[in-house]
Amino acid sequence: MKCHYCDREAVVRLPYAKLNLCREHFAEYLLRKLERSVERYKMFGKGSKVVVGVSGGKDSVTLTKLLSESGLAKLLVVHVNLSIGEYSRISVETVRRFSVEHGLDYLIVDLSEYGISIPELVAKTRRSPCSVCGMVKRYVLNALTLDLGYDALATAHHADDMAVYIVKSFLLQDYDQLYKISPVNYEVPGLAARKIKPLYEFYEFEIETFAKLYGLPFVSVKCPFKHVGWLERYVRELLDRAEEESPGFKISLLRSHARRTLSMRSAEQAKPKACASCGLISSGTECSFCRFTRRALGQPMGLVVRRWIIGEAAAGGTRRVTGTPPSSVG
Ligand code: SF4
Ligand code: ZN
Ligand code: ZN
C-alpha cells in the first residue's frame, strides 16, 4: 500500500478521506486539518494566547503537539492534579516530561491542601466521580484562563466522543447539555473564557496513530473511577457501525450540529449571571463549583482557587509560567 502523495509505504488508511498516507504526509494532513478547523470555527486569531488543558492522555498530548507545530498560538499547558493515587502521579509526571521535552510553558494545579482532591470530594457526595471531576476541571481551567489573561481554553475532545455526547443528550432529551456541545463556546467577558475543541473533527484512531508514530509520551493506565454506562456503550456501538457503513458519517453529524449550535449562541448567552461567591459565570445565585464545595467542604472554594492561580502565576517557582496576573480578584 503506497502513500497517496509519494512513493513511501503508507502507515495509515483514512477511509473517510479515501487516503493512504505515509508517516510524514499523515502528520502534514493532520496539521492542515487542525488549521482548517481553527479557521472554520473561528476558534482564535493568529498569535493568540491559548491555555491547553492536558490530562496526559493520548488526545491532549496530540492536541498540544499539533497546536505547537502549527505555531498559531502561544501555549500554556495546564494539568489539574486530581489526586487520584497512582493514576494522578503518573499523569503529573507525563505532562511534566512532555512539556519539558517540547519546551512548553506548563503549570500543574494542585489544590489538594484545600480539600480539592477527587477521592476526598467523592466521599462527601452521592454524585458520580466523573461528574465531580468534570466540574472541578471545568471550574479551574475556566478561572485560570480568565485570571491569567489568556484568549481561549483548548481541550482535546474528539469526534468519536462528541458524536456520542450529542446522540446521548438527544436520547435523554437533555437540550441544555445538547446545545452546550460545540466546537467553540464563545467567551462572556469577565465571567467565562472562550472554550475551543480543535480536535472536534478528528477521529480517535487518527489521534492514537499519530501519538504512537511520533513516540509522544502519554498515560495509558486507566483512571480507577472510569465507568462507561450502558447507554453510552450502546450509542458508541451504533455510531461506530454507522461510520463503517458510511465513512465520514460522524463528521457530517458534527458539522450539522455545529451549524445549529453556533447560530444559537447569542440567544443562549443573553443574560449571563455572576456567581455571588466567586464572580464567575453561574446559572443561579452561586455557581455549581461554589455550591458543591460549600456542601462538601463547608465553604465555597471558588475564590480560594482564583487566589491560588494568581499567587502561583506571580510566584513562578520552578514551573515556567507565563501571563501577567491581575493584582487582585474579588
Ligand atoms: Fe475524572 Fe472520571 Fe476521567 Fe477519572 S475517568 S479522570 S474521575 S473524568
Ligand atoms: Zn507520503
Ligand atoms: Zn462560584
Side-chain angles (χ1 to χ4, degrees), residues 3 6 8 22 25:
C3 171
C6 72
R8 283 186 290 251
C22 69
H25 280 114

Side-chain angles (χ1 to χ4, degrees), residues 82 84 87 118-119 121-123 125-139 157 165 168 222-229 232 292:
L82 305 166
I84 308 178
Y87 169 71
I118 302 308
L121 290 172
V122 165
T125 166
R126 286 192 181 154
R127 280 174 67 162
S128 79
C130 292
S131 100
V132 173
C133 181
M135 180 194 57
V136 167
K137 284 186 286 196
R138 275 193 302 278
Y139 186 85
H157 298 87
Y165 298 153
K168 198 177 133 197
K222 278 217 167 77
C223 169
F225 288 125
K226 179 97 182 154
H227 169 76
V228 180
E232 184 168 331
F292 176 81

Side-chain angles (χ1 to χ4, degrees), residues 41 43 181-185 195-198 200 254 258 261-262:
Y41 297 115
M43 292 185 178
I181 301 171
S182 177
V184 188
N185 299 93
K195 319 259 180 357
I196 59 171
K197 300 181 182 75
Y200 186 73
L254 289 166
T261 52
L262 290 172

Side-chain angles (χ1 to χ4, degrees), residues 29-309:
Y29 178 87
L30 289 191
L31 202 55
R32 274 209 314 275
K33 184 165 163 167
L34 180 100
E35 288 165 359
R36 276 202 309 272
S37 287
V38 167
E39 206 182 304
R40 175 192 295 267
Y41 297 115
K42 300 184 175 52
M43 292 185 178
F44 57 84
K46 203 165 169 31
S48 294
K49 287 169 35 182
V50 174
V51 167
V52 197
V54 180
S55 68
K58 63 184 185 334
D59 308 337
S60 54
V61 295
T62 295
L63 168 65
T64 313
K65 173 80 176 167
L66 289 172
L67 275 174
S68 140
E69 291 286 316
S70 77
L72 288 173
K74 176 159 178 42
L75 306 180
L76 172 63
V77 167
V78 177
H79 175 77
V80 182
N81 185 350
L82 305 166
S83 305
I84 308 178
E86 187 63 1
Y87 169 71
S88 287
R89 197 190 59 72
I90 296 171
S91 303
V92 168
E93 270 326 297
T94 306
V95 175
R96 206 190 297 277
R97 195 180 126 206
F98 172 79
S99 306
V100 171
E101 278 176 6
H102 290 83
L104 294 163
D105 290 343
Y106 70 98
L107 175 60
I108 310 284
V109 178
D110 187 339
L111 296 158
S112 52
E113 65 181 290
Y114 304 105
I116 301 174
S117 111
I118 302 308
E120 209 173 311
L121 290 172
V122 165
K124 292 179 177 159
T125 166
R126 286 192 181 154
R127 280 174 67 162
S128 79
C130 292
S131 100
V132 173
C133 181
M135 180 194 57
V136 167
K137 284 186 286 196
R138 275 193 302 278
Y139 186 85
V140 172
L141 291 171
N142 179 53
L144 194 141
T145 308
L146 277 177
D147 288 336
L148 297 189
Y150 275 70
D151 301 305
L153 164 63
T155 52
H157 298 87
H158 55 65
D160 296 272
D161 280 350
M162 298 319 292
V164 168
Y165 298 153
I166 288 169
V167 175
K168 198 177 133 197
S169 305
F170 174 76
L171 291 175
L172 294 169
Q173 292 292 287
D174 186 349
Y175 285 102
D176 282 349
Q177 189 52 36
L178 185 63
Y179 293 135
K180 272 186 206 156
I181 301 171
S182 177
V184 188
N185 299 93
Y186 287 95
E187 64 273 36
V188 181
L191 299 180
R194 176 181 296 209
K195 319 259 180 357
I196 59 171
K197 300 181 182 75
L199 302 185
Y200 186 73
E201 295 189 3
F202 280 58
Y203 289 99
E204 189 172 10
F205 83 89
E206 297 177 301
I207 295 169
E208 185 161 4
T209 307
F210 178 85
K212 287 182 176 161
L213 280 176
Y214 282 84
L216 302 182
F218 64 85
V219 180
S220 40
V221 290
K222 278 217 167 77
C223 169
F225 288 125
K226 179 97 182 154
H227 169 76
V228 180
W230 68 269
L231 182 58
E232 184 168 331
R233 254 195 331 268
Y234 171 78
V235 171
R236 200 172 287 274
E237 272 171 36
L238 177 86
L239 287 168
D240 285 349
R241 234 181 282 166
E243 182 71 30
E244 241 179 81
E245 286 289 331
S246 172
F249 175 84
K250 291 183 191 177
I251 291 182
S252 306
L253 175 109
L254 289 166
R255 285 193 183 159
S256 307
H257 178 78
R259 270 197 294 277
R260 179 122 187 93
T261 52
L262 290 172
S263 64
M264 290 173 62
R265 72 172 197 268
S266 39
E268 184 203 329
Q269 293 177 348
K271 281 191 183 144
K273 283 185 231 156
C275 167
S277 297
C278 72
L280 296 184
I281 197 155
S282 170
S283 54
T285 315
E286 211 169 38
C287 73
S288 52
F289 181 79
C290 287
R291 240 184 7 249
F292 176 81
T293 45
R294 181 191 290 284
R295 254 185 285 126
L297 302 171
Q299 64 158 319
M301 298 298 283
L303 268 190
V304 174
V305 171
R306 296 188 73 187
R307 289 194 180 116
W308 183 93
I309 289 167

